[in-house]
């Protein structure tokens, strides 16, 4: 993460001119890819992933439903689970399918034809990353036949189990291409995540393999022990320091502001900290509180409770502080602390609470180090936490991971998989539980009707067996 993003690239504008076309209306001749430089494709896709996917609606809805942030609006709202097919349309039909998947497939085809193997490898990592986000939100999705426009008019959905197999195969393929000769063209400053440093991309591959292995810890046909073994084996080759964090840095200038700066500054109704999250940090005397949140106008930390009437003065609540929501804040895609929490959980499954405890403490410490918390404050906080036991270890690990993964969609995935942290859902006469998935976008039943689209917000995705 060495290269600062200077401007918001209009993702895809320099590529194929996809505009608002449906993603199946492009790439008519896969055997004759467009003559576009890979360096012109990579940056916009990384910007789309960071700004419009992780820092876009995926992260926003997760932060509301997981009660880290609150929207100062009357219910019903997206915070009170009122998410409809039109709400998710842009994420699917603008960001993910045309500007991420299609453009990455094109970049990979071009790079492979020119033997530019580093671009192939990075493209595959980004496909796997975004594919996991897509299937985790919607379950079954179009992919394996989603780009065969000359032979498929309506696109059947792949089952989520098949998608996860594809993710793992895609990451393995990325490792293969990383090991090959670089080729005549190599990525540099247009790679906003690692600046073309393939040793760090390789570590990210292994970190993601561990993340997705634990995602399936309770999936049908899988066991926690089996998935823990896979995660631990991957982590041995993964992140080893906060310097390995996968992030996109923003300069904060005009049209180069961090997405969470935009989200919290411009959202209709005002975005503030949620009450349960603030209260949990206050009660634990967590030294990260002042870095994560700013005090209200009354010089206290105060969050908003979902369902309350809109407050006339947003300054009566705490807001997200500069580290995560400053104009020049970085957007984190994966971190060393997350890797350590994965390792702590996997170690607990295989060896018990005592073996997991030092890894768990290190995970907390590494997140605090990332936030600039002093070693003394780190030690005081970690010493105050309950000792891990067989009965409490999973809850303690995932609850601390919930703090370290602030604003990440991974929080929602962990909650569905483990039930932690324990959250009190908003309830009214219509809705009384946190949704388990997103609705399919409005365009899909109209242009690509499939039986998968009959699911409701309360239907679980395949791996969600908690």
């Amino acid at each position: 993460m060495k290269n600062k993003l200077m401007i918001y690239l209009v993702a895809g504008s320099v590529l194929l001119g996809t505009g608002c076309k449906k993603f199946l209306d492009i790439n008519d001749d896969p055997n004759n890819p467009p003559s576009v430089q890979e360096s012109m494709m990579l940056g916009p896709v990384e910007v789309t992933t960071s700004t419009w996917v992780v820092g876009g609606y995926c992260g926003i809805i997760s932060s509301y439903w997981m009660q880290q942030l609150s929207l100062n609006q009357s219910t019903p709202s997206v915070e009170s689970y009122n998410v409809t097919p039109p709400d998710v349309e842009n994420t699917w039909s603008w960001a993910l399918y045309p500007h991420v998947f299609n453009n990455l497939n094109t970049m990979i085809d071009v790079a492979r034809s020119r033997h530019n193997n580093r671009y192939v490898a990075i493209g595959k990592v980004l496909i796997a990353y975004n594919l996991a986000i897509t299937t985790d939100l919607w379950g079954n999705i179009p992919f394996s036949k989603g780009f065969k426009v000359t032979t498929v008019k309506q696109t059947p959905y792949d089952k989520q189990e098949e998608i996860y197999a594809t993710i793992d195969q895609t990451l393995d393929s990325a490792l293969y291409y990383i090991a090959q000769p670089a080729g005549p063209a190599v990525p540099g400053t247009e790679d906003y995540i690692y600046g073309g440093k393939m040793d760090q991309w390789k570590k990210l591959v292994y970190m993601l393999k561990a993340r997705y292995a634990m995602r399936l810890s309770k999936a049908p046909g899988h066991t926690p022990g089996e998935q823990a073994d896979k995660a631990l084996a991957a982590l041995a080759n993964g992140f080893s320091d906060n310097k390995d964090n996968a992030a996109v840095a923003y300069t904060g200038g005009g049209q180069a502001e961090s997405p969470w700066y935009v989200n919290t500054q411009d959202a209709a109704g005002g975005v503030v900290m949620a009450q349960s999250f603030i209260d949990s940090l206050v009660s634990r005397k967590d030294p990260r509180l002042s870095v994560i949140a700013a005090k209200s106008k009354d010089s206290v930390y105060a969050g908003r409770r979902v369902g309350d009437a809109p407050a006339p003065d947003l300054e009566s609540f705490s807001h997200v502080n500069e580290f995560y929501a400053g104009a020049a804040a970085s957007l984190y895609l994966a971190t060393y602390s997350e890797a350590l929490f994965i390792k702590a959980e996997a170690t607990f499954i295989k060896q018990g609470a005592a073996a997991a405890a030092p890894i768990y403490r290190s995970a907390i410490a590494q997140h605090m180090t990332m936030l600039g918390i002093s070693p003394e404050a780190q030690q005081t906080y970690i010493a105050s936490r309950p000792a891990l036991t067989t009965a409490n270890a999973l809850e303690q690990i995932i609850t601390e991971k919930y703090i370290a993964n602030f604003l990440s969609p991974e929080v929602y995935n962990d909650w569905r998989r483990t039930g932690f942290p324990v959250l009190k859902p908003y309830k009214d006469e219509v809705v009384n539980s946190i949704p388990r998935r997103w609705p399919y976008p409005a365009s899909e039943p109209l242009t690509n009707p499939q039986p998968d689209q009959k699911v409701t917000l309360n239907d679980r995705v395949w791996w969600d067996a908690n």
Side-chain angles (χ1 to χ4, degrees):
M1 188 196 73
K2 299 298 184 184
N3 303 304
K4 290 258 185 181
L5 180 63
M6 298 306 295
I7 58 171
Y8 274 173
L9 299 172
V10 180
S13 64
V14 298
L15 306 185
L16 304 176
T18 58
C20 295
K21 284 186 177 182
K22 188 163 176 63
F23 71 95
L24 294 180
D25 295 333
I26 43 186
N27 244 7
D28 289 334
D29 187 358
N31 296 317
N32 186 25
S35 180
V36 182
Q37 294 296 322
E38 298 93 328
S39 60
M40 295 179 67
M41 303 184 207
L42 179 58
V45 171
E46 291 186 349
V47 173
T48 300
T49 299
S50 175
T51 304
W52 304 106
V53 178
V54 180
Y57 214 57
C58 301
I60 292 168
I61 297 305
S62 172
S63 68
Y64 292 153
W65 289 358
M66 295 296 95
Q67 300 174 16
Q68 292 182 332
L69 301 184
S70 184
L71 184 62
N72 189 48
Q73 290 183 355
S74 300
T75 55
S77 68
V78 292
E79 182 183 13
S80 60
Y81 322 137
N82 184 40
V83 173
T84 65
D87 293 328
V88 303
E89 186 68 53
N90 282 345
T91 303
W92 174 294
S93 298
W94 187 87
L96 285 165
Y97 277 95
H99 288 118
V100 172
F101 295 135
N102 184 74
N103 287 341
L104 283 173
N105 278 332
T106 300
M107 186 185 82
I108 289 169
D109 287 345
V110 171
R112 189 186 288 117
S113 71
R114 298 168 178 167
H115 305 290
N116 292 328
N117 291 319
R118 292 186 176 181
Y119 283 101
V120 177
I122 293 173
K124 287 179 175 287
V125 180
L126 292 171
I127 280 183
Y129 186 94
N130 283 279
L131 194 54
I133 288 176
T134 309
T135 191
D136 289 339
L137 292 173
W138 282 288
N140 300 344
I141 56 172
F143 189 75
S144 65
K145 298 181 180 179
F147 305 93
K148 299 178 180 179
V149 67
T150 57
T151 58
V152 180
K153 293 183 179 180
Q154 286 195 342
T155 311
Y157 287 12
D158 298 333
K159 294 185 180 299
Q160 187 173 55
E161 184 174 7
E162 297 167 351
I163 291 290
Y164 260 92
T166 298
I167 290 169
D168 196 51
Q169 293 162 7
T170 303
L171 291 172
D172 285 340
S173 183
L175 291 173
Y176 169 82
Y177 281 99
I178 288 172
Q180 301 308 304
V186 297
T189 57
E190 78 279 12
D191 173 14
Y192 296 122
I193 298 173
Y194 287 131
K197 295 180 174 61
M198 300 312 293
D199 57 338
Q200 289 185 297
W201 277 105
K202 184 177 179 179
K203 289 182 179 182
L204 176 60
V205 170
Y206 282 110
M207 192 280 177
L208 294 177
K209 287 176 76 70
R211 175 194 280 181
Y212 303 143
M214 291 310 295
R215 181 89 84 252
L216 306 187
S217 62
K218 297 182 180 179
H222 299 261
T223 66
E226 170 192 31
Q227 298 309 115
D229 282 336
K230 291 180 179 179
L232 290 169
L235 289 169
N237 298 296
F239 290 175
S240 58
D241 190 275
N242 276 315
K243 294 178 182 178
D244 296 325
N245 292 345
V248 173
Y250 296 79
T251 64
Q255 294 187 316
E257 301 95 343
S258 167
W260 281 106
Y261 173 82
V262 177
N263 295 341
T264 56
Q265 294 291 317
D266 298 338
V271 178
V272 297
M273 299 296 299
Q275 182 184 65
S276 61
F277 188 69
I278 287 292
D279 287 354
S280 70
L281 296 178
V282 170
S283 66
R284 297 139 73 106
K285 299 180 180 178
D286 193 319
R288 290 169 289 188
L289 176 58
S290 62
V291 180
I292 293 172
K295 289 183 177 180
S296 72
K297 67 176 184 180
D298 300 317
S299 299
V300 297
Y301 292 104
R304 180 182 181 275
R305 185 179 65 178
V306 59
D308 284 355
D313 184 1
L314 288 177
E315 298 308 312
S316 61
F317 299 117
S318 294
H319 295 255
V320 186
N321 218 337
E322 293 287 308
F323 183 89
Y324 285 104
S330 294
L331 191 289
Y332 291 87
L333 306 178
T335 65
Y336 180 42
S337 62
E338 181 192 350
L340 288 172
F341 280 114
I342 293 170
K343 185 177 181 180
E345 180 185 355
T347 301
F348 167 64
I349 291 170
K350 296 298 297 182
Q351 300 180 42
I359 306 167
Y360 158 78
R361 293 192 292 267
S362 180
I364 299 171
Q366 289 302 323
H367 180 242
M368 290 186 169
T369 297
M370 188 179 93
L371 268 57
I373 305 299
S374 71
E376 295 76 17
Q378 293 181 28
Q379 294 170 9
T380 298
Y381 176 79
I382 292 170
S384 74
R385 306 313 304 140
L388 294 192
T389 67
T390 301
N392 75 9
L394 183 60
E395 180 174 7
Q396 292 296 324
I397 291 168
I398 299 300
T399 300
E400 286 290 342
K401 188 181 177 187
Y402 166 75
I403 299 169
N405 275 351
F406 181 60
L407 302 181
S408 168
E410 285 305 300
V411 171
Y412 181 45
N413 296 325
D414 280 337
W415 174 82
R416 287 184 288 173
R417 182 175 63 85
T418 68
F420 299 119
V422 177
L423 301 173
K424 183 179 180 180
Y426 170 77
K427 294 185 178 182
D428 65 10
E429 63 275 10
V430 177
V431 179
N432 56 25
S433 62
I434 300 171
R436 311 297 296 200
R437 70 194 305 151
W438 279 17
Y440 286 101
S443 64
E444 278 296 287
L446 295 175
T447 62
N448 187 36
Q450 300 292 332
D452 314 79
Q453 297 156 4
K454 297 178 181 179
V455 296
T456 71
L457 294 180
N458 292 322
D459 290 319
R460 296 170 182 241
V461 299
W462 164 73
W463 56 254
D464 180 8
N466 174 54

